[in-house]
Every structure is written in structure tokens, then in C-alpha cells.
Amino acid sequence: MTDDSSDEKWQIGAEKLTDVYQGMVSAAPPGLMDFSDIMTRDLFGGIWTREQLDVAQRRLIVMGVIAAIGGPNTWKLQCKSALKRGELTEDQVREVLIQATPYVGYPRTAELVGPTEEAISECRREAADADADTVAGDEAD
């Protein structure tokens, strides 16, 4: 294993990973696993930081790929991140599935409906909790 902590590209990747997933996913400590080091440095420090596409555009591509190959947990993470970052609305997240269905098939996208609704519900609940905390903080002042 390598220790990439001094590698500027790894540092940039770690920050981008946290940003892309709104803190729901963060980089493993450098040197812990080669796989994580490579993913952090090359995928998030290299590809996700390129200027040609923004994060929202890259996310739609990733969502299309996940819809095609499957992966309900990864799909849910992408949905939730897109919602939290304000890249997509609830209706738009659902529309991604509708758009993908004729291309990847009903069985493949049907398994993503539940995780989509879970992501939406969790985001609503987290937003409501944050609002309640803000109101409680304001009342305490």
C-alpha cells in the first residue's frame, strides 16, 4: 500500500469526494487500501475535477450507468447526493428513472424505485430536522 497523504491530487480528490457526496462518503485514510487511494486520487482528484463537465452533469452520467448496470445502494447514494446538492429536484430524480427505463429495461429500473423514494424521504426528514434545529436555536436566543 502507498501513503498518498502528501500527494496533492489525493488531497484534491478527498475534498471532491466529500463535496460530491455531501459528507455521506469520505476518503479512507491514505495508505489504508490501494483501491481507496487510487479511487480518491484518480477518480475524484482527476476525473470529477475536470472542467469540461460540472458535478451535476457528471452525476447524471453516473446515474445513467448505474441504472444500466444495477446497484440500488449506489443509486440511492447518487439520488440523495443530487438532492442535497440541489442538482436535481425530487421530480427530476424520478424522471431520470423514467428516461432510463426504455433503454435499460423495466426490471433494471424497477429495482431502483424503492431506493429513489427512500432517498427522497430521507432528504425530506433531514431537512425537516435541520429546520427544527434552526427554529429551536432561534427560540433559545
Side-chain angles (χ1 to χ4, degrees), residues 20-99:
V20 166
Y21 294 112
Q22 292 292 282
M24 293 181 289
V25 177
S26 55
L32 183 66
M33 251 179 20
D34 285 342
F35 177 85
S36 294
D37 290 344
I38 292 166
M39 180 185 73
T40 301
R41 184 186 59 245
D42 298 341
L43 177 59
F44 289 95
I47 295 171
W48 277 86
T49 57
R50 292 176 52 85
E51 296 175 6
Q52 290 80 354
L53 299 172
D54 64 23
V55 171
Q57 292 166 323
R58 290 181 191 283
R59 173 127 27 237
L60 280 172
I61 294 166
V62 170
M63 290 175 80
V65 171
I66 294 166
I69 65 173
N73 293 334
T74 306
W75 173 265
K76 180 179 172 182
L77 177 63
Q78 295 299 329
C79 289
K80 196 168 176 182
S81 298
L83 291 165
K84 289 181 108 177
R85 286 180 51 88
E87 297 164 355
L88 297 171
T89 65
E90 294 175 4
D91 287 341
Q92 289 171 327
V93 167
R94 291 177 179 118
E95 190 67 23
V96 172
L97 281 181
I98 292 169
Q99 178 68 31

